[in-house]
PDB file of all heavy atoms in Angstrom:
ATOM      1  N   SER X 152       5.994 -14.664 -16.943  1.00  0.00           N
ATOM      2  CA  SER X 152       5.995 -13.374 -16.273  1.00  0.00           C
ATOM      3  C   SER X 152       5.840 -12.240 -17.271  1.00  0.00           C
ATOM      4  O   SER X 152       6.429 -12.270 -18.354  1.00  0.00           O
ATOM      5  CB  SER X 152       7.302 -13.182 -15.495  1.00  0.00           C
ATOM      6  OG  SER X 152       7.403 -11.847 -15.037  1.00  0.00           O
ATOM      7  N   PRO X 153       5.066 -11.198 -16.920  1.00  0.00           N
ATOM      8  CA  PRO X 153       4.960 -10.027 -17.789  1.00  0.00           C
ATOM      9  C   PRO X 153       6.302  -9.327 -17.947  1.00  0.00           C
ATOM     10  O   PRO X 153       6.484  -8.540 -18.871  1.00  0.00           O
ATOM     11  CB  PRO X 153       3.939  -9.135 -17.068  1.00  0.00           C
ATOM     12  CG  PRO X 153       4.003  -9.565 -15.645  1.00  0.00           C
ATOM     13  CD  PRO X 153       4.274 -11.039 -15.688  1.00  0.00           C
ATOM     14  N   LEU X 154       7.243  -9.626 -17.056  1.00  0.00           N
ATOM     15  CA  LEU X 154       8.563  -8.992 -17.127  1.00  0.00           C
ATOM     16  C   LEU X 154       9.408  -9.550 -18.258  1.00  0.00           C
ATOM     17  O   LEU X 154      10.472  -9.000 -18.565  1.00  0.00           O
ATOM     18  CB  LEU X 154       9.289  -9.165 -15.791  1.00  0.00           C
ATOM     19  CG  LEU X 154       8.552  -8.656 -14.562  1.00  0.00           C
ATOM     20  CD1 LEU X 154       9.401  -8.838 -13.320  1.00  0.00           C
ATOM     21  CD2 LEU X 154       8.151  -7.202 -14.722  1.00  0.00           C
ATOM     22  N   GLU X 155       8.944 -10.630 -18.908  1.00  0.00           N
ATOM     23  CA  GLU X 155       9.694 -11.189 -20.029  1.00  0.00           C
ATOM     24  C   GLU X 155       9.821 -10.205 -21.173  1.00  0.00           C
ATOM     25  O   GLU X 155      10.723 -10.318 -22.011  1.00  0.00           O
ATOM     26  CB  GLU X 155       9.028 -12.489 -20.522  1.00  0.00           C
ATOM     27  CG  GLU X 155       9.145 -13.657 -19.558  1.00  0.00           C
ATOM     28  CD  GLU X 155      10.582 -14.067 -19.324  1.00  0.00           C
ATOM     29  OE1 GLU X 155      11.350 -14.150 -20.298  1.00  0.00           O
ATOM     30  OE2 GLU X 155      10.950 -14.277 -18.156  1.00  0.00           O
ATOM     31  N   VAL X 156       8.915  -9.227 -21.231  1.00  0.00           N
ATOM     32  CA  VAL X 156       8.965  -8.249 -22.326  1.00  0.00           C
ATOM     33  C   VAL X 156      10.042  -7.190 -22.086  1.00  0.00           C
ATOM     34  O   VAL X 156      10.345  -6.399 -22.986  1.00  0.00           O
ATOM     35  CB  VAL X 156       7.599  -7.560 -22.523  1.00  0.00           C
ATOM     36  CG1 VAL X 156       6.531  -8.582 -22.857  1.00  0.00           C
ATOM     37  CG2 VAL X 156       7.197  -6.746 -21.287  1.00  0.00           C
ATOM     38  N   LEU X 157      10.614  -7.150 -20.880  1.00  0.00           N
ATOM     39  CA  LEU X 157      11.608  -6.146 -20.550  1.00  0.00           C
ATOM     40  C   LEU X 157      13.004  -6.611 -20.932  1.00  0.00           C
ATOM     41  O   LEU X 157      13.313  -7.798 -20.901  1.00  0.00           O
ATOM     42  CB  LEU X 157      11.577  -5.826 -19.054  1.00  0.00           C
ATOM     43  CG  LEU X 157      10.241  -5.359 -18.455  1.00  0.00           C
ATOM     44  CD1 LEU X 157      10.425  -5.039 -16.980  1.00  0.00           C
ATOM     45  CD2 LEU X 157       9.696  -4.156 -19.205  1.00  0.00           C
ATOM     46  N   THR X 158      13.867  -5.649 -21.268  1.00  0.00           N
ATOM     47  CA  THR X 158      15.270  -5.955 -21.505  1.00  0.00           C
ATOM     48  C   THR X 158      15.963  -6.190 -20.168  1.00  0.00           C
ATOM     49  O   THR X 158      15.417  -5.875 -19.108  1.00  0.00           O
ATOM     50  CB  THR X 158      15.975  -4.803 -22.240  1.00  0.00           C
ATOM     51  OG1 THR X 158      16.004  -3.648 -21.365  1.00  0.00           O
ATOM     52  CG2 THR X 158      15.246  -4.430 -23.528  1.00  0.00           C
ATOM     53  N   ASP X 159      17.183  -6.726 -20.215  1.00  0.00           N
ATOM     54  CA  ASP X 159      17.937  -6.951 -18.983  1.00  0.00           C
ATOM     55  C   ASP X 159      18.145  -5.647 -18.226  1.00  0.00           C
ATOM     56  O   ASP X 159      18.032  -5.598 -16.991  1.00  0.00           O
ATOM     57  CB  ASP X 159      19.288  -7.600 -19.295  1.00  0.00           C
ATOM     58  CG  ASP X 159      19.148  -9.048 -19.745  1.00  0.00           C
ATOM     59  OD1 ASP X 159      18.075  -9.641 -19.504  1.00  0.00           O
ATOM     60  OD2 ASP X 159      20.105  -9.574 -20.335  1.00  0.00           O
ATOM     61  N   ARG X 160      18.459  -4.574 -18.949  1.00  0.00           N
ATOM     62  CA  ARG X 160      18.688  -3.284 -18.296  1.00  0.00           C
ATOM     63  C   ARG X 160      17.406  -2.758 -17.662  1.00  0.00           C
ATOM     64  O   ARG X 160      17.428  -2.212 -16.550  1.00  0.00           O
ATOM     65  CB  ARG X 160      19.243  -2.269 -19.300  1.00  0.00           C
ATOM     66  CG  ARG X 160      19.413  -0.850 -18.730  1.00  0.00           C
ATOM     67  CD  ARG X 160      20.298  -0.860 -17.485  1.00  0.00           C
ATOM     68  NE  ARG X 160      21.705  -0.865 -17.830  1.00  0.00           N
ATOM     69  CZ  ARG X 160      22.684  -0.919 -16.944  1.00  0.00           C
ATOM     70  NH1 ARG X 160      22.397  -1.001 -15.657  1.00  0.00           N
ATOM     71  NH2 ARG X 160      23.942  -0.932 -17.327  1.00  0.00           N
ATOM     72  N   GLU X 161      16.281  -2.918 -18.355  1.00  0.00           N
ATOM     73  CA  GLU X 161      15.007  -2.463 -17.796  1.00  0.00           C
ATOM     74  C   GLU X 161      14.652  -3.254 -16.538  1.00  0.00           C
ATOM     75  O   GLU X 161      14.127  -2.693 -15.576  1.00  0.00           O
ATOM     76  CB  GLU X 161      13.907  -2.593 -18.852  1.00  0.00           C
ATOM     77  CG  GLU X 161      14.027  -1.556 -19.967  1.00  0.00           C
ATOM     78  CD  GLU X 161      13.224  -1.898 -21.197  1.00  0.00           C
ATOM     79  OE1 GLU X 161      12.616  -2.992 -21.248  1.00  0.00           O
ATOM     80  OE2 GLU X 161      13.205  -1.075 -22.122  1.00  0.00           O
ATOM     81  N   ARG X 162      14.976  -4.539 -16.514  1.00  0.00           N
ATOM     82  CA  ARG X 162      14.740  -5.331 -15.306  1.00  0.00           C
ATOM     83  C   ARG X 162      15.631  -4.853 -14.166  1.00  0.00           C
ATOM     84  O   ARG X 162      15.214  -4.815 -13.004  1.00  0.00           O
ATOM     85  CB  ARG X 162      14.997  -6.805 -15.583  1.00  0.00           C
ATOM     86  CG  ARG X 162      13.980  -7.454 -16.498  1.00  0.00           C
ATOM     87  CD  ARG X 162      14.323  -8.919 -16.710  1.00  0.00           C
ATOM     88  NE  ARG X 162      13.519  -9.494 -17.769  1.00  0.00           N
ATOM     89  CZ  ARG X 162      13.668 -10.719 -18.229  1.00  0.00           C
ATOM     90  NH1 ARG X 162      14.602 -11.505 -17.712  1.00  0.00           N
ATOM     91  NH2 ARG X 162      12.898 -11.175 -19.191  1.00  0.00           N
ATOM     92  N   ASP X 163      16.866  -4.505 -14.502  1.00  0.00           N
ATOM     93  CA  ASP X 163      17.769  -3.965 -13.482  1.00  0.00           C
ATOM     94  C   ASP X 163      17.178  -2.692 -12.874  1.00  0.00           C
ATOM     95  O   ASP X 163      17.190  -2.509 -11.648  1.00  0.00           O
ATOM     96  CB  ASP X 163      19.137  -3.659 -14.091  1.00  0.00           C
ATOM     97  CG  ASP X 163      19.923  -4.905 -14.455  1.00  0.00           C
ATOM     98  OD1 ASP X 163      19.586  -5.986 -13.937  1.00  0.00           O
ATOM     99  OD2 ASP X 163      20.872  -4.786 -15.263  1.00  0.00           O
ATOM    100  N   VAL X 164      16.672  -1.809 -13.732  1.00  0.00           N
ATOM    101  CA  VAL X 164      16.091  -0.547 -13.263  1.00  0.00           C
ATOM    102  C   VAL X 164      14.864  -0.820 -12.397  1.00  0.00           C
ATOM    103  O   VAL X 164      14.697  -0.229 -11.319  1.00  0.00           O
ATOM    104  CB  VAL X 164      15.721   0.359 -14.459  1.00  0.00           C
ATOM    105  CG1 VAL X 164      14.925   1.578 -13.985  1.00  0.00           C
ATOM    106  CG2 VAL X 164      16.979   0.814 -15.192  1.00  0.00           C
ATOM    107  N   LEU X 165      14.008  -1.740 -12.831  1.00  0.00           N
ATOM    108  CA  LEU X 165      12.808  -2.061 -12.075  1.00  0.00           C
ATOM    109  C   LEU X 165      13.151  -2.695 -10.727  1.00  0.00           C
ATOM    110  O   LEU X 165      12.520  -2.408  -9.705  1.00  0.00           O
ATOM    111  CB  LEU X 165      11.916  -2.997 -12.893  1.00  0.00           C
ATOM    112  CG  LEU X 165      10.542  -3.348 -12.315  1.00  0.00           C
ATOM    113  CD1 LEU X 165       9.768  -2.099 -11.905  1.00  0.00           C
ATOM    114  CD2 LEU X 165       9.751  -4.169 -13.314  1.00  0.00           C
ATOM    115  N   GLY X 166      14.181  -3.533 -10.723  1.00  0.00           N
ATOM    116  CA  GLY X 166      14.632  -4.119  -9.463  1.00  0.00           C
ATOM    117  C   GLY X 166      15.104  -3.063  -8.485  1.00  0.00           C
ATOM    118  O   GLY X 166      14.859  -3.150  -7.276  1.00  0.00           O
TER     119      GLY X 166
END
Side-chain angles (χ1 to χ4, degrees):
S152 170
L154 304 182
E155 290 297 316
V156 300
L157 304 182
T158 66
D159 289 343
R160 175 56 82 182
E161 288 163 356
R162 291 180 191 175
D163 290 342
V164 171
L165 185 51

